[in-house]
Amino acid sequence: MSDLTISPRRRRDIIDALRRGTVPQQGLDVLAVGLARFESALDAELEGVAGGSASFKAVRGEYGSGKTFFARWFTERAKRANFATAEIQISETETPLHKLETVYRRVVESLATPTTSTGAIRDVVDGWFYFLDQDAGDGGTSASLELLDKRLTEVSKDAPAFAAVLRAYRLAQQTGDAAQAEGLLAWLSGQPHVSASVKRTAGIRGDLDHFGALGFLQGLLTVLRDSDYSGLVLVLDEVETLQRMRADVREKSLNALRQLLDEIDGGRFPGLYLVMTGTPAFFEGQQGVQRLPPLAQRLQTDFQTDARFDNPRAVQIRLSGFTVDSLVELGARVRDIFAAGAENAERIHSVVDDAYIASFAKAVGGELGGRTGVAPRLFLKKLVADVLDRVELFDDFNPRRDYRLTVDPSELTDVERAAHVRGAGGAVGSVDDIDLEL
């Protein structure tokens, strides 16, 4: 790998995240081992969404198979195709799927564009008004507002408040009332507790509710499309947490998911690519998708054939997880990225060669009961913090001689801890029986 493929800042961000044991926020294309088989199909689907259609993809994989990594890799890829993106983690307390007003608020809070990493709603809305002014020509504010109403005609049928607030926001900007504009943008973003005086200027009452949320999502897509973005890639991550929620909450959440898919199929959300990640148990078990037959039928995909012949165009795709070979390939890439920013790259390549990485990968997998598939996070964290850093910092450090791998339960996720217990001779049930907060 050439060191010219990654900027110093990007390299630093990747290594710092791996050292902390987290998924990097960017630069994931250089770490994408085993994902090339999905690229052509996903790019074609993104192209279709950019052309005005909508799409949906369910991504399944066991814990540790790289679902969050896949989601961030895909959103990075989408940004290069000029998509806006949003990634939210489903949880009963923070983002319950059955409360679509909360889902919409989280979408706006995490909204990112190719030039803004998060919280991009102001840039998007202000950019939209810029394009309106350009299209309105010499007609001034009144012409822009008239064009605003025309472009939001469809949205106004279901969410008239969306257009009303945008109109009031523009007028507040025109008069220099920054506080008023700020409050209106907050309400448009689904934030609660906006003052009554701010709402009165737009002729609205109360907060955004469950029924208005889909209309506001439709409005956001319209604004993105008219601002020359290709669309929105929305990731619902960790949807398998629904299995551990109360029965009534789980039923409502599955129904909300079915409603979203129905609306996508019905053509309500042109420009939306929805991605959902979950475990096989969520898609196949009775505490997940199978509880709602219409949803199960929609997501049904044949995985009985050899994984080599999986169809990347199917509504559901699976991640196979890491093998020792793919873990070694990933480790070698991380070593090369690390060495490209080090003073003595030659020493790092010599001391931490492929043979050492292979033995290290097997050792980490051994600590996790031989379950290499759940090892990537721990493997990369220890490779960077325990091995590569020390090789760079200490001229006489040789990991073959001076380092012995140790794993403390306190540094493990729940799934890794369960595998570690199993590797030490303990007994655990299915990881889906463990209450997880990943």
Side-chain angles (χ1 to χ4, degrees):
M1 176 185 297
S2 168
D3 60 354
L4 298 178
T5 59
I6 306 176
S7 70
R9 179 178 177 179
R10 190 179 178 205
R11 182 186 302 118
R12 185 171 59 251
D13 288 345
I14 292 172
I15 295 300
D16 286 349
L18 296 179
R19 186 183 289 117
R20 294 190 301 269
T22 59
V23 176
Q25 293 294 328
Q26 56 183 353
L28 298 182
D29 53 316
V30 298
L31 300 177
V33 173
L35 298 183
R37 66 188 187 279
F38 298 120
E39 290 179 356
S40 295
L42 293 174
D43 287 348
E45 289 169 0
L46 285 174
E47 185 177 349
V49 172
S53 66
S55 191
F56 169 78
K57 187 73 74 177
V59 181
R60 67 189 267 153
E62 297 288 358
Y63 293 111
S65 63
K67 297 187 295 298
T68 297
F69 182 97
F70 175 94
R72 292 186 182 166
W73 167 79
F74 183 50
T75 55
E76 269 200 2
R77 197 172 187 85
K79 284 178 185 175
R80 291 199 293 273
N82 201 37
F83 277 81
T85 66
E87 178 188 342
I88 60 178
Q89 278 73 45
I90 300 301
S91 73
E92 186 170 9
T93 55
E94 296 295 322
T95 314
L97 186 54
H98 69 287
K99 292 187 176 180
L100 293 178
E101 68 274 24
T102 304
V103 172
Y104 171 80
R105 183 167 74 246
R106 300 291 184 233
V107 167
V108 175
E109 289 172 351
S110 66
L111 187 67
T113 67
T115 57
T116 306
S117 60
T118 190
I121 185 64
R122 182 187 300 280
D123 290 346
V124 168
V125 170
D126 289 348
W128 185 61
F129 278 114
Y130 172 81
F131 280 102
L132 278 180
D133 289 342
Q134 296 297 307
D135 292 344
D138 298 328
T141 300
S142 60
S144 291
L145 293 177
E146 182 179 343
L147 190 56
L148 178 155
D149 291 335
K150 183 180 298 184
R151 291 190 174 172
L152 293 176
T153 298
E154 284 300 314
V155 177
S156 296
K157 292 177 182 177
D158 295 312
F162 190 89
V165 173
L166 278 176
R167 172 184 279 272
Y169 172 79
R170 180 58 184 277
L171 292 174
Q173 281 189 319
Q174 293 282 334
T175 58
D177 193 340
Q180 183 75 10
E182 187 75 24
L184 289 166
L185 188 63
W187 196 88
L188 190 77
S189 303
Q191 296 295 333
H193 314 307
V194 174
S195 71
S197 61
V198 168
K199 297 174 189 176
R200 277 197 297 272
T201 63
I204 55 177
R205 295 181 180 180
D207 297 327
L208 177 65
D209 60 19
H210 176 89
F211 300 102
L214 291 183
F216 271 46
L217 177 58
Q218 187 180 359
L220 177 61
L221 289 167
T222 300
V223 168
L224 287 169
R225 183 179 65 243
D226 289 347
S227 301
D228 278 354
Y229 291 103
S230 300
L232 172 67
V233 171
L234 170 56
V235 177
L236 303 179
D237 201 11
E238 300 179 5
V239 180
E240 68 268 7
T241 57
L242 294 180
Q243 297 172 102
R244 295 181 291 279
M245 296 180 186
R246 295 196 325 267
D248 60 327
V249 174
R250 184 167 59 243
E251 302 291 345
K252 292 176 183 177
S253 297
L254 291 172
N255 268 305
L257 185 57
R258 180 196 57 78
Q259 182 183 0
L260 269 174
L261 299 192
D262 285 347
E263 298 283 10
I264 288 173
D265 283 345
R268 184 177 180 182
F269 299 124
L272 176 65
Y273 194 124
L274 181 66
V275 179
M276 177 183 74
T277 73
T279 59
F282 171 71
F283 291 108
E284 298 174 0
Q286 290 305 312
Q287 300 305 312
V289 167
Q290 299 302 319
R291 288 189 74 85
L292 190 62
L295 181 61
Q297 292 164 9
R298 187 181 297 274
L299 298 178
Q300 199 282 328
T301 304
D302 175 24
F303 290 117
Q304 300 304 310
T305 54
D306 191 301
R308 293 180 302 153
F309 306 115
D310 280 1
N311 180 9
R313 301 172 182 169
V315 68
Q316 188 181 156
I317 58 176
R318 63 176 163 182
L319 304 180
S320 301
F322 280 86
T323 64
V324 171
D325 288 343
S326 58
L327 208 58
V328 171
E329 180 182 351
L330 178 59
R333 291 191 187 189
V334 170
R335 178 208 50 211
D336 293 348
I337 294 169
F338 187 99
E343 292 184 2
N344 194 344
E346 184 178 347
R347 167 171 157 74
I348 290 172
H349 280 282
S350 173
V351 175
V352 189
D353 57 15
D354 288 357
Y356 176 78
I357 291 175
S359 63
F360 189 66
K362 291 175 184 176
V364 174
E367 289 289 335
L368 299 181
R371 298 185 61 200
T372 309
V374 302
R377 187 198 72 86
L378 184 66
F379 166 70
L380 294 176
K381 180 177 185 292
K382 288 190 169 292
L383 178 64
V384 172
D386 291 355
V387 177
L388 292 171
D389 277 343
R390 286 169 169 159
V391 170
E392 182 183 23
L393 293 169
F394 305 104
D395 290 340
D396 59 343
F397 177 78
N398 185 325
R400 288 181 168 90
R401 179 192 65 218
D402 303 318
Y403 174 70
R404 183 174 66 86
L405 175 67
T406 59
V407 175
D408 190 306
S410 65
E411 66 181 319
L412 303 177
T413 65
D414 288 323
V415 174
E416 291 166 348
R417 192 174 299 115
H420 181 56
V421 170
R422 183 182 291 114
V428 296
S430 166
V431 292
D432 288 298
D433 296 329
I434 302 170
D435 188 16
L436 298 174
E437 290 293 338
L438 298 180

